[in-house]
Amino acid sequence: MLAEPHTLKEILELSANHFAKHGLISPRLEAELLMGHILGLERIHLYVQFDRPLEEKELEEMRQLIRRRLQGEPLAYILGEKEFMSLPFYVDSRVLIPRPETEHLVEKALDLFSGDGEVTLVDLGAGSGAIAVSLAYYLPRSSVLALDINPEILEIARKNALRNGVEGRIRFILGDLLEPIREEGPVDGILSNPPYIPTAQLEEVSPEVKAQPRGALDGGSDGLRYYHRIAREAYPLLRQGGYLGLEVGAGQDEAVGSILQDQGFIDVNVEKDYSGHKRCVWGKKKKA
Ligand code: GLN
């Protein structure tokens, strides 16, 4: 009689082949991450348990997760976790999944502010808190204001601050863009990764992107809706010589650069990400 495949090794192989057939880019890695998630094991520890037989319950769980993944649910939502700037972030379908492209915005901020000691920085539209938490973590003398319009989402950002041990240096503020801190300031830097996908293009994005909250993606008809208001509200809030750093979508760098210039920002420059795409636009507030 033929034995059903049931060891961890066999199930991993079957799952990876199944994922590969469906065109996933990293089939083996995803299979291992799902398996590790079910068994409560780090990937590396799967290898020493290769011959372990899986129980029916575990197999059924694996089948279910594979099904969800193949229906387009992003891996990060299934795992409930995504790494950003080498830090772990809890995520679920209420927040945008932090992206490696956004690390570029944070890296640039670390370059700009690491020599400055006690800086106050703003993460506008904090979502998971990826930007706010990594700024607080890597700039140990900074204070960070994390703003979001949705209280549930702000709780997720707070949870991620706690998880990374920086909750004491982040203030979580509910409200519409920079409105709630209008009377405060001045601050040294304002960073944002606003929604920037043109509404009509939202129909064409991949299932993984489609599964993410529309409010975090939809940038209005030309995708530029938020940049105008952000530039306008950021300028008076910044100290002289302070910086505004914005992530932008494909082909938006020139338009966003002009928006910043029109607002009075100087030294406006575009930064490329690791894949050579123009990804962030930075502007500086003039010294008097
Ligand atoms: N600031 C968060 C991030 O960069 C969320 C951004 C958003 O929801 N548009 O991941």
Side-chain angles (χ1 to χ4, degrees):
M1 199 175 78
L2 274 175
E4 295 254 329
H6 64 294
T7 65
L8 200 158
K9 179 167 187 276
E10 288 163 331
I11 298 301
L12 269 181
E13 271 159 20
L14 279 174
S15 311
N17 287 340
H18 196 55
F19 277 161
K21 244 188 281 162
H22 283 80
L24 263 64
I25 293 165
S26 314
R28 176 76 192 193
L29 174 65
E30 292 213 19
E32 289 181 1
L33 288 167
L34 290 178
M35 184 68 87
H37 181 66
I38 290 169
L39 301 178
L41 294 172
E42 297 281 331
R43 261 175 73 216
I44 185 84
H45 296 127
L46 295 175
Y47 285 81
V48 291
Q49 301 200 17
F50 256 3
D51 296 326
R52 158 178 176 176
L54 290 184
E55 290 164 22
E56 185 48 41
K57 198 171 102 278
E58 294 163 337
L59 278 173
E60 184 47 37
E61 234 180 300
M62 188 68 177
R63 282 188 208 106
Q64 269 181 29
L65 297 193
I66 289 173
R67 213 172 297 134
R68 281 168 61 187
R69 183 66 189 102
L70 289 178
Q71 281 165 359
E73 187 170 345
L75 184 71
Y77 288 158
I78 299 176
L79 300 175
E81 184 165 309
K82 177 73 183 181
E83 194 180 279
F84 180 81
M85 293 294 293
S86 306
L87 302 172
F89 285 84
Y90 166 80
V91 288
D92 64 34
S93 61
R94 292 172 294 175
V95 291
L96 192 80
I97 300 167
R99 304 192 318 145
E101 287 84 342
T102 308
E103 293 182 347
H104 195 76
L105 186 73
V106 175
E107 302 265 10
K108 173 77 184 176
L110 299 185
D111 282 352
L112 285 172
F113 298 112
S114 55
D116 287 2
E118 291 174 18
V119 286
T120 302
L121 302 174
V122 175
D123 174 9
L124 180 54
S128 65
I131 296 174
V133 169
S134 34
L135 288 172
Y137 187 92
Y138 290 107
L139 295 171
R141 292 169 65 203
S142 63
S143 320
V144 179
L145 310 180
L147 283 85
D148 205 282
I149 196 164
N150 181 327
E152 272 183 53
I153 291 181
L154 218 46
E155 278 314 304
I156 296 179
R158 191 193 305 275
K159 178 168 167 168
N160 282 321
L162 268 168
R163 176 158 184 191
N164 288 290
V166 293
E167 72 283 2
R169 279 186 298 107
I170 304 184
R171 259 172 68 204
F172 298 88
I173 303 169
L174 183 66
D176 188 14
L177 292 186
L178 291 164
E179 188 62 27
I181 55 170
R182 203 159 45 104
E183 308 287 318
E184 297 190 29
V187 300
D188 301 280
I190 298 175
L191 274 72
S192 186
N193 173 24
Y196 54 65
I197 302 179
T199 309
Q201 278 178 30
L202 282 170
E203 302 311 312
E204 299 150 26
V205 296
S206 66
E208 279 84 1
V209 176
K210 223 173 229 169
Q212 302 187 48
R214 202 180 164 99
L217 301 169
D218 187 349
S221 58
D222 59 359
L224 300 173
R225 171 156 99 206
Y226 291 97
Y227 296 108
H228 296 278
R229 252 190 83 190
I230 292 175
R232 190 161 9 106
E233 294 181 16
Y235 199 82
L237 204 59
L238 284 167
R239 70 159 161 82
Q240 291 173 7
Y243 291 92
L244 172 63
L246 301 170
E247 181 169 322
V248 299
Q252 294 175 337
D253 54 292
E254 281 185 26
V256 173
S258 310
I259 293 173
L260 296 202
Q261 267 158 356
D262 291 348
Q263 192 56 58
F265 283 95
I266 59 165
D267 298 348
V268 171
N269 75 317
V270 176
E271 299 272 328
K272 290 186 178 163
D273 65 19
Y274 305 114
S275 10
H277 295 115
K278 293 173 176 169
R279 181 60 62 192
C280 301
V281 179
W282 285 84
K284 188 175 178 178
K285 178 163 170 172
K286 249 200 318 259
K287 296 204 172 107

